[in-house]
Amino acid sequence: MISKKMENMVANSSAIRAMFEEGNRLAKLYGAENVYDFSLGNPNVPAPDAVKKAILDILEEEDPVALHGYTNSNAGYEDVRQAVADSLNDRFGTAFSAHNITMTVGAAGGLNVILKALLNPGDEVITFAPYFGEYRSYVNNYDGVLIAVSPNTVDFQPKLDEFEEKITPKTRAVIVNTPNNPTGVVYSEETILKIAAILEKKQKEYQTDIYLISDEPYRELAYDGVEVPYLTKYYANTIVGYSYSKSLSLPGERIGYLVIPDEAADSENLIAAANVANRILGFVNAPTLQQKIVKACLNEKTDISYYNRNRETLYQGLKESGYTCIKPEGAFYLFVKSPVEDEKAFVQAAKKYNILVVPGSSFGCPGYVRIAYCVAYETIVNALPKFALLAEEYK
Amino acid sequence: MISKKMENMVANSSAIRAMFEEGNRLAKLYGAENVYDFSLGNPNVPAPDAVKKAILDILEEEDPVALHGYTNSNAGYEDVRQAVADSLNDRFGTAFSAHNITMTVGAAGGLNVILKALLNPGDEVITFAPYFGEYRSYVNNYDGVLIAVSPNTVDFQPKLDEFEEKITPKTRAVIVNTPNNPTGVVYSEETILKIAAILEKKQKEYQTDIYLISDEPYRELAYDGVEVPYLTKYYANTIVGYSYSKSLSLPGERIGYLVIPDEAADSENLIAAANVANRILGFVNAPTLQQKIVKACLNEKTDISYYNRNRETLYQGLKESGYTCIKPEGAFYLFVKSPVEDEKAFVQAAKKYNILVVPGSSFGCPGYVRIAYCVAYETIVNALPKFALLAEEYK
């Protein structure tokens, strides 16, 4: 008998994963080139050549005992953390040092670490629908309660009035994700300033510390010259979670980091707690070879032109077929309005054309579907006529 | 403010880690060659050449998108899991398939995954002192209660009468670790049969399923031709946790696996729950490059001759100086009786000679200290005269 908490989890196991496995099944039946699998955010731009070069250099130069051994600190190699801090300071004018950086097993590992460090049972964590469904699982791991602000389907910027109303004395943290999965929106500086102002006001009112957790694996995937603000500069109690999954196309390798600035309330304790949580949750330390790889590749620019061409092609094509969708400025997702209210029925209909997309209900936003365009360009070109045929069914 | 559960953790942060950091400090002051740091189980036998060769081959042959991308299943690559299953079947006459294998972020990740899958708040988990202190943290993560059977200081085999008495209707699992950290003992087949018989009896009496979790990162480190029984063959409700940290000297890379046999009660649900727990705890999947490395290196024999020479030299030397200690058959630890009841005072005294060892209280066994002999042979040779001088203080 499995634990009660896991019973629910297993029963409602990720719709995204199920779709991905469905895609593999259809590919075996019809051939991969005849399946248009837009379901999983698995980057298909290869890791830059610098990654392979880094691995070869590291194998040549590093002593294997040091390379593959436990790191001195559970937070990771000090030189790697210093290099990450220096890089952030160069880019954003921040003032971090190695001390503020904890290397983590991807962003998912980092979120688990910081939530374990922060949450007491019953603590509330606010996020904005549509949101990455795993946030609910991560918060539930530590007996917190996820409170979702309802989606603003006009432009998918956060509904700030509802946000303010939903903050209570039990609100421990707010998770934002910009550029956003599943909508692709980037929060403007104006939005960030307003969120910060609301939080400052509520902290004073309730005499609590409310941490703003910025989950930013898509930071480097921003188009049209859009700037992605660095949130620690707007609000002191900000914690940043980052990952190289999308920026260096290393999602399977599990490497990212947390930033806990000195300015955050109780930062010394928080940093110590993150260190211990990293260890006792079983991560122990972020994979050592990967830490060294990211240090070597810190200045690699993500080649976003590939995703951008997909974005433009897909967006234009869907608009021409009459679909409703905002043009996303970041990440690699389109969030498209379903022609029928029950988007799960639309998802089923799409399968007839070997098109796989994810229902918006998985992100707390029914009536929409998520289309991940981290796929081959040809997949998009070949899928568009099918999307057109699918649209015809609803006219 | 950090969470209440973490407050305790941070306050009592690992004595092992603190000692390791002390070792680095002394090394900076006195030179590493003049510090005898026996505190951390960080393998100093390098990873076999086959690991480097495997990485080079993989980089040449594999498509980077497949290599560094998320795996299809959170349990890991199917071919890797099948290869692990085949290897176990060859070695132990078991009948596992890919289905029964979940690749994990080290053994620590695997233990967290299986405990999350199993434990309801208040469930009891029994282990045998002396035990790896992290078991308490892992069980606490899921609001279980760790119950320790008191140590048998004659030969450190488990006290079976006390074990039987400590099993209650709330007992969900038993964790065994053989070869053992910190004592180095290997449980005999006779011991295993008795443990299994007790568990079968109690399962019937209470009408519960009690899972035997075999934590075996030290399986390959067994000396004098001692055999390490494979526990699934003795008890149906056995789950095995393994790691390549010690066998391939890859502790920093975070790679291991869980075995959940078909014979285990509710195995289908347990396997599904482990899969989901692997994802939602933030591991997502075990690091992909490492999965491929272990597949390529499955037939590598761990070179234990290095550790064995250290074992013999240290054991003989300490005995000659009058220390009391059983001769360990496995792992890379000696568990030595402190000349004074308060072993922490002995640990402090040892520091005067730049000797670093870990107090047995960290393992639930005061009055003893753990000496990790995964160090350079010269370290042992140079430390023995210091151990002799230290022993003189107590005569």
Side-chain angles (χ1 to χ4, degrees):
Chain A
M1 263 178 23
I2 62 179
S3 64
K4 292 193 169 40
K5 276 174 90 170
M6 288 307 295
E7 271 174 7
N8 292 333
M9 292 289 173
V10 170
N12 300 319
S13 188
S14 170
I16 301 177
R17 280 278 159 181
M19 195 71 71
F20 186 52
E21 282 154 22
E22 172 80 349
N24 292 327
R25 191 186 70 80
L26 289 172
K28 284 185 187 145
L29 275 173
Y30 301 110
E33 66 284 4
N34 296 317
V35 177
Y36 314 107
D37 187 351
F38 296 102
S39 65
L40 192 64
N42 201 2
N44 80 314
V45 167
D49 292 339
V51 167
K52 181 172 174 178
K53 179 178 186 310
I55 297 174
L56 295 172
D57 289 345
I58 289 162
L59 287 182
E60 271 312 297
E61 292 158 10
E62 297 270 352
D63 159 59
V65 173
L67 170 60
H68 300 304
Y70 291 118
T71 51
N72 284 3
S73 162
N74 298 113
Y77 291 117
E78 186 157 346
D79 65 311
V80 172
R81 290 148 60 214
Q82 187 60 49
V84 167
D86 291 342
S87 169
L88 291 174
N89 297 342
D90 279 346
R91 290 180 72 184
F92 303 114
T94 46
F96 305 130
S97 69
H99 173 68
N100 304 111
I101 310 296
T102 303
M103 303 308 290
T104 58
V105 172
L111 282 173
N112 269 276
V113 163
I114 197 63
L115 290 172
K116 180 161 179 75
L118 283 176
L119 297 183
N120 291 308
D123 279 353
E124 292 170 0
V125 179
I126 296 177
T127 197
F128 298 91
Y131 59 91
F132 179 45
E134 296 287 70
Y135 294 161
R136 189 171 289 284
S137 306
Y138 303 158
V139 168
N140 177 263
N141 285 341
Y142 311 102
D143 298 313
V145 180
L146 190 75
I147 307 285
V149 176
S150 69
N152 162 9
T153 55
V154 172
D155 61 4
F156 292 107
Q157 292 284 332
K159 280 185 184 172
L160 296 172
D161 290 347
E162 188 182 324
F163 170 54
E164 185 165 349
E165 284 164 22
K166 286 189 142 119
I167 302 176
T168 76
K170 291 182 158 197
T171 305
R172 192 73 157 121
V174 179
I175 299 177
V176 292
N177 175 227
T178 161
N180 186 267
N181 172 12
T183 66
V185 301
V186 175
Y187 288 3
S188 62
E189 189 186 39
E190 187 189 344
T191 297
I192 301 301
L193 284 162
K194 288 180 178 169
I195 288 175
I198 290 167
L199 288 171
E200 296 281 12
K201 174 179 164 188
K202 287 299 184 179
Q203 287 190 134
K204 277 198 180 68
E205 182 182 335
Y206 297 137
Q207 287 294 293
T208 55
D209 289 302
I210 306 174
Y211 294 91
L212 179 63
I213 300 172
S214 179
D215 178 40
E216 37 185 82
Y218 301 99
R219 166 170 285 283
E220 318 305 344
L221 273 56
Y223 312 105
D224 304 333
V226 158
E227 293 225 5
V228 182
Y230 205 81
L231 270 57
T232 62
K233 303 171 71 169
Y234 296 85
Y235 183 68
N237 283 343
T238 295
I239 292 157
V240 177
Y242 187 82
S243 155
Y244 294 91
S245 296
K246 277 55 174 191
S247 52
L248 289 182
S249 295
L250 299 174
E253 302 292 6
R254 317 308 303 126
I255 183 71
Y257 59 79
L258 283 169
V259 182
I260 302 170
D262 292 341
E263 293 72 28
D266 209 19
S267 65
E268 282 313 301
N269 264 333
L270 214 45
I271 289 168
N275 208 333
V276 174
N278 217 13
R279 193 188 87 228
I280 66 178
L281 283 174
F283 305 109
V284 180
N285 54 245
T288 40
L289 174 58
Q290 298 302 321
Q291 290 188 46
K292 291 183 180 285
I293 290 169
V294 304
K295 180 188 176 189
C297 294
L298 270 175
N299 294 323
E300 282 300 302
K301 291 254 167 288
T302 311
D303 177 13
I304 60 173
S305 61
Y306 187 96
Y307 294 131
N308 195 29
R309 180 172 67 155
N310 284 2
R311 176 183 76 119
E312 291 282 5
T313 308
L314 185 62
Y315 173 72
Q316 293 304 338
L318 292 178
K319 291 287 278 186
E320 276 159 30
S321 293
Y323 289 98
T324 302
C325 159
I326 60 152
K327 190 177 187 186
E329 292 177 316
F332 42 46
Y333 306 106
L334 256 69
F335 206 55
V336 176
K337 194 174 159 127
S338 162
V340 284
E341 203 178 315
D342 177 9
E343 90 279 5
K344 290 179 182 176
F346 176 61
V347 168
Q348 275 304 110
K351 282 186 193 172
K352 295 197 313 283
Y353 301 86
N354 285 354
I355 291 174
L356 298 173
V357 296
V358 184
S361 315
S362 301
F363 306 94
C365 187
Y368 282 75
V369 296
R370 185 191 80 171
I371 304 178
Y373 57 81
C374 43
V375 298
Y377 178 67
E378 293 68 32
T379 302
I380 291 174
V381 167
N382 294 337
L384 281 171
K386 311 290 183 185
F387 271 111
L389 288 170
L390 176 59
E392 287 299 311
E393 291 192 17
Y394 297 95
K395 285 174 186 165
Chain B
M1 263 180 21
I2 62 179
S3 65
K4 291 191 169 38
K5 277 173 89 168
M6 289 306 295
E7 270 174 6
N8 292 333
M9 292 289 173
V10 170
N12 300 319
S13 188
S14 170
I16 301 177
R17 280 279 159 181
M19 195 70 72
F20 186 52
E21 283 155 21
E22 173 79 349
N24 292 327
R25 191 186 68 81
L26 289 172
K28 282 183 187 145
L29 275 173
Y30 301 110
E33 67 284 5
N34 296 317
V35 177
Y36 314 106
D37 187 350
F38 297 101
S39 66
L40 193 66
N42 201 1
N44 79 313
V45 167
D49 292 338
V51 167
K52 181 173 175 178
K53 179 180 186 310
I55 297 174
L56 295 172
D57 290 345
I58 290 162
L59 286 183
E60 271 313 295
E61 292 158 11
E62 298 270 351
D63 159 59
V65 173
L67 169 60
H68 300 304
Y70 292 118
T71 51
N72 283 4
S73 163
N74 298 113
Y77 292 117
E78 186 156 346
D79 65 312
V80 172
R81 291 151 56 215
Q82 187 60 48
V84 168
D86 292 342
S87 168
L88 291 173
N89 298 341
D90 279 346
R91 290 179 72 183
F92 303 115
T94 46
F96 305 129
S97 68
H99 173 66
N100 304 110
I101 311 295
T102 303
M103 303 308 291
T104 58
V105 172
L111 283 173
N112 270 274
V113 163
I114 197 63
L115 291 172
K116 181 162 179 72
L118 283 175
L119 297 184
N120 292 309
D123 280 353
E124 293 170 359
V125 178
I126 296 176
T127 198
F128 299 90
Y131 59 91
F132 180 46
E134 296 287 69
Y135 293 161
R136 190 171 290 282
S137 305
Y138 302 158
V139 168
N140 177 263
N141 285 341
Y142 311 103
D143 297 314
V145 180
L146 190 75
I147 308 285
V149 176
S150 68
N152 163 9
T153 56
V154 172
D155 61 4
F156 292 108
Q157 292 284 331
K159 279 185 183 171
L160 296 172
D161 290 346
E162 186 182 327
F163 171 53
E164 186 166 349
E165 286 164 21
K166 285 188 141 117
I167 301 175
T168 77
K170 291 181 159 198
T171 306
R172 192 75 157 120
V174 178
I175 299 177
V176 293
N177 176 226
T178 160
N180 186 266
N181 171 13
T183 65
V185 301
V186 175
Y187 288 3
S188 63
E189 189 185 38
E190 186 188 343
T191 298
I192 301 300
L193 284 162
K194 287 180 178 169
I195 288 175
I198 290 168
L199 287 172
E200 296 283 10
K201 175 178 164 188
K202 288 298 186 179
Q203 286 191 135
K204 277 199 180 63
E205 181 183 334
Y206 296 137
Q207 288 293 293
T208 55
D209 289 302
I210 306 174
Y211 295 91
L212 179 63
I213 300 173
S214 179
D215 178 39
E216 37 185 82
Y218 300 100
R219 166 169 286 284
E220 318 306 343
L221 272 57
Y223 312 105
D224 303 331
V226 159
E227 294 225 6
V228 182
Y230 205 81
L231 271 57
T232 62
K233 302 170 71 170
Y234 297 84
Y235 183 68
N237 282 343
T238 296
I239 292 158
V240 178
Y242 186 81
S243 155
Y244 293 93
S245 295
K246 286 29 178 206
S247 52
L248 289 182
S249 296
L250 298 175
E253 302 293 6
R254 317 309 303 126
I255 183 72
Y257 59 79
L258 283 169
V259 182
I260 302 169
D262 291 341
E263 293 73 28
D266 209 19
S267 65
E268 282 312 301
N269 263 334
L270 213 46
I271 290 169
N275 208 332
V276 174
N278 217 14
R279 192 187 89 227
I280 66 178
L281 283 175
F283 306 108
V284 179
N285 53 244
T288 41
L289 175 58
Q290 298 302 321
Q291 290 188 48
K292 291 183 179 285
I293 290 169
V294 305
K295 180 187 175 188
C297 295
L298 270 175
N299 294 322
E300 282 301 301
K301 290 254 167 288
T302 310
D303 178 13
I304 60 172
S305 62
Y306 187 97
Y307 293 130
N308 196 28
R309 179 171 69 155
N310 284 1
R311 178 183 76 120
E312 293 282 3
T313 307
L314 185 63
Y315 174 71
Q316 294 303 336
L318 291 178
K319 291 288 279 185
E320 276 160 29
S321 293
Y323 289 99
T324 302
C325 162
I326 60 152
K327 190 175 187 188
E329 294 177 314
F332 42 45
Y333 305 106
L334 257 66
F335 206 56
V336 175
K337 192 171 164 143
S338 162
V340 284
E341 203 178 316
D342 178 8
E343 90 279 5
K344 289 177 181 177
F346 177 60
V347 168
Q348 273 306 108
K351 283 185 191 171
K352 296 197 313 280
Y353 300 87
N354 285 354
I355 291 174
L356 298 173
V357 296
V358 183
S361 314
S362 301
F363 305 95
C365 189
Y368 282 77
V369 297
R370 185 190 80 172
I371 304 179
Y373 56 81
C374 45
V375 297
Y377 177 68
E378 294 67 33
T379 302
I380 290 174
V381 168
N382 294 336
L384 280 170
K386 310 290 180 184
F387 272 111
L389 288 171
L390 175 60
E392 286 301 311
E393 290 193 14
Y394 296 97
K395 286 174 184 164

